Amino acid sequence: MNNRLGEEKVGKLLLQFAVPSVISMLVSALYNIVDQIFIGNGIGMNGNAATNVAFPLSTLCTSLALLFGIGGAASFNLNMGAGERKEASKYVGNAVFLLVSSGILVCLLVRVFLHPLMLLFGATKDTLDYALEYTAITSFGFPFLILSTGGSALVRADGSPRFSMFCMLTGAVINTILDPLFIFSFNMGMAGAAWATVLGQIVSGCMVLGYLLRFRSVSLTRECFMPNLRHCLRIAALGASNCFNQIAMMVVQIVMNNTMTYYGAMSVYGQEIPLACSGIINKVNMIAFSLVIGISQGLQPITSFNYGAQKYGRVWSSYRLAVTAGTVISVLSFLCFQIFPRQIISLFGSGSEAYFTFAERYFRVFLFFTFINGIQPITSNFFTAMGKAPKGILISLTRQVIFLLPLLVILPLFWGLEGVMFAGPISDCAAAVLAILLVVRERGHLHRLEAEKNMEEKA
């Protein structure tokens, strides 16, 4: 039986899989944006700074979701492309087990170590209580966040990208409706924003779990959900590049929070203005980045299946289309960030003129190379989808760990807060250049494989 991943036009497939993925990732990013907007207008700058302190934990949850979700989806599609249906079903079951168990573990650990974690993440005297209140509640939603985000990748791999999108969209709508109701009408403050987020995540997680228990492409028996070391390691290997990218973002967020408060205290802006502004700007940038990640996730099942089926021409065509779409989004984001920084920051509440002055400059400098930011994540996921985990991991680590982290430590020693700003564009440019060099080599390899296959078929 022919699979449409190997038969339909690549452009049509990418549209079918990428659009729901883009919407799903956008919705996931909007969870935090919506909270930040209502908190900024209802509580103020310190509330926004507190959500920035808590944000690394959401990034940790996303990293685990992508580790097991993308890894499980890639393993499933590679085995389906090779005709190994029984093995494919075991990878799905093991991925579900890993998603559920990791979510419960994170929830428990955060609740035990909540106070020291908030201090580690850069909480100041004025933001600590807000951060503790917000995170104590949102931790209940972590298992559902991991399941809904990671499980959505498995739903897409099963050929149901629209349902995946609908699950994420439902949770976001619930969050958006409940946020103003809880914060303003019920006067619940930070707790209201947190409970709105948790309730939305619970609904999304339950919808995804309901689908996974009725998987379409293969039958999932109880045996499939029993953890197998070989399957778990394979899933982790193929999901590692996406996971490491998120882990790197989390580490960068923690380092940046502490850097902002340390050097901010030495500047005219104080501690809270840089902390609040960096949180808002990073989350706004996450919207653009989420669109690109959505495209890369839509690319995954197409690339994995066709590489497993040895249709190398289709593999390269899918990448070329994906990176073109990602670049268009990145260019449009760059124009918005350069032209409308004050208007964007105003959505998150009022502030002093110093607050807006710092935010505008941070936007324009730190995000200067946004127009090439689509290349690195799409290329990383491209290698992962082909089962080439080491290259995927290397590319995923470049922007955040290999380049940005050292620059965040070194440059502020000489230029203070200005050094933090310039660390962003330097790392963005270097990561894009390395990704281009590696994918150009891979294109030649794919062309050779396609030529060899054609010669064998003619013979």
Side-chain angles (χ1 to χ4, degrees):
M1 182 177 67
N2 292 333
N3 189 305
R4 67 191 184 102
L5 288 171
E7 302 297 332
E8 284 189 14
K9 290 183 178 179
V10 169
K12 182 179 179 181
L13 283 172
L14 187 60
L15 191 65
Q16 291 174 346
F17 280 85
V19 169
S21 300
V22 164
I23 295 175
S24 296
M25 290 302 299
L26 181 60
V27 165
S28 180
L30 286 175
Y31 264 113
N32 297 289
I33 291 289
V34 168
D35 276 355
Q36 194 108 35
I37 289 174
F38 285 117
I39 288 171
N41 285 279
I43 298 170
M45 185 181 69
N46 286 338
N48 269 334
T51 61
N52 185 32
V53 171
F55 191 59
L57 291 174
S58 295
T59 308
L60 173 63
C61 290
T62 302
S63 71
L64 292 171
L66 297 181
L67 176 67
F68 303 131
I70 296 295
S75 301
F76 169 76
N77 287 129
L78 284 166
N79 279 275
M80 289 293 285
E84 300 287 343
R85 295 175 61 86
K86 187 175 181 180
E87 277 293 288
S89 66
K90 291 179 180 179
Y91 278 112
V92 173
N94 273 244
V96 173
F97 168 81
L98 291 169
L99 289 168
V100 173
S101 57
S102 64
I104 295 172
L105 180 61
V106 171
C107 175
L108 294 175
L109 290 175
V110 168
R111 299 199 63 79
V112 171
F113 300 105
L114 180 59
H115 193 276
L117 283 174
M118 294 300 96
L119 294 176
L120 174 66
F121 294 168
T124 64
K125 179 180 64 175
D126 294 332
T127 61
L128 179 59
D129 287 342
Y130 288 124
L132 289 171
E133 181 181 19
Y134 184 79
T135 310
I137 297 170
T138 54
S139 62
F140 288 118
F142 290 164
F144 299 95
L145 173 59
I146 292 174
L147 178 61
S148 61
T149 305
S152 290
L154 299 172
V155 174
R156 287 192 299 271
D158 192 41
S160 299
R162 290 184 181 178
F163 185 81
S164 168
M165 173 191 70
F166 183 69
C167 292
M168 300 298 294
L169 192 58
T170 300
V173 170
I174 291 172
N175 182 41
T176 304
I177 293 172
L178 294 181
D179 253 330
L181 185 65
F182 288 173
I183 293 173
F184 300 110
S185 299
F186 296 167
N187 294 315
M188 294 174 65
M190 292 293 287
W195 279 118
T197 298
V198 170
L199 292 173
Q201 291 168 346
I202 289 174
V203 172
S204 292
C206 290
M207 291 175 66
V208 169
L209 182 61
Y211 181 96
L212 294 175
L213 296 176
R214 304 188 309 273
F215 216 66
R216 296 191 322 175
S217 301
V218 294
S219 297
L220 298 180
T221 63
R222 182 176 297 181
E223 179 189 0
C224 297
F225 295 98
M226 298 299 293
N228 176 281
L229 182 60
R230 180 174 65 86
H231 291 129
C232 290
L233 290 176
R234 178 64 170 169
I235 288 169
L238 293 184
S241 65
N242 292 275
C243 172
F244 287 167
N245 195 44
Q246 293 292 319
I247 290 290
M249 287 174 62
M250 182 186 74
V251 174
V252 166
Q253 287 161 3
I254 296 170
V255 172
M256 186 171 289
N257 286 351
N258 286 280
T259 302
M260 285 296 190
T261 54
Y262 180 79
Y263 289 100
M266 302 178 186
S267 72
V268 296
Y269 301 109
Q271 291 182 312
E272 276 71 33
I273 286 178
L275 183 62
C277 287
S278 67
I280 292 171
I281 291 166
N282 286 340
K283 289 178 183 177
V284 170
N285 185 40
M286 273 192 65
I287 294 181
F289 209 68
S290 294
L291 297 176
V292 173
I293 294 294
I295 292 173
S296 74
Q297 290 184 358
L299 172 69
Q300 178 268 312
I302 305 169
T303 300
S304 293
F305 183 90
N306 284 285
Y307 193 82
Q310 299 183 358
K311 297 184 178 183
Y312 304 113
R314 290 174 61 83
V315 170
W316 178 251
S317 295
S318 63
Y319 170 79
R320 188 176 60 220
L321 283 172
V323 82
T324 299
T327 300
V328 170
I329 290 172
S330 299
V331 170
L332 293 175
S333 302
F334 164 79
L335 294 175
C336 288
F337 296 158
Q338 295 298 314
I339 299 172
F340 306 113
R342 181 174 283 253
Q343 290 85 345
I344 295 172
I345 204 72
S346 296
L347 294 173
F348 298 87
S350 59
S352 64
E353 184 58 31
Y355 170 75
F356 283 105
T357 299
F358 180 83
E360 286 184 60
R361 179 154 177 78
Y362 194 104
F363 251 117
R364 291 194 170 112
V365 176
F366 192 79
L367 302 179
F368 183 77
F369 274 116
T370 299
F371 60 89
I372 57 173
N373 273 356
I375 298 172
Q376 181 246 358
I378 291 175
T379 304
S380 173
N381 212 32
F382 176 62
F383 281 108
T384 298
M386 292 187 293
K388 301 184 178 184
K391 287 185 179 179
I393 294 170
L394 172 63
I395 296 173
S396 73
L397 291 176
T398 52
R399 179 172 172 265
Q400 300 285 334
V401 174
I402 297 176
F403 298 127
L404 183 55
L405 265 181
L407 291 173
L408 282 176
V409 174
I410 296 170
L411 294 186
L413 294 174
F414 301 97
W415 297 299
L417 290 176
E418 289 285 305
V420 177
M421 296 184 193
F422 281 97
I426 295 172
S427 60
D428 288 344
C429 183
V433 169
L434 181 59
I436 291 170
L437 292 175
L438 290 174
V439 83
V440 166
R441 289 186 60 187
E442 188 62 30
R443 180 182 65 173
H445 179 62
L446 289 172
H447 286 343
R448 286 193 296 273
L449 290 174
E450 184 72 8
E452 292 171 3
K453 183 187 174 187
N454 290 337
M455 289 178 63
E456 290 175 1
E457 290 176 349
K458 289 179 182 179

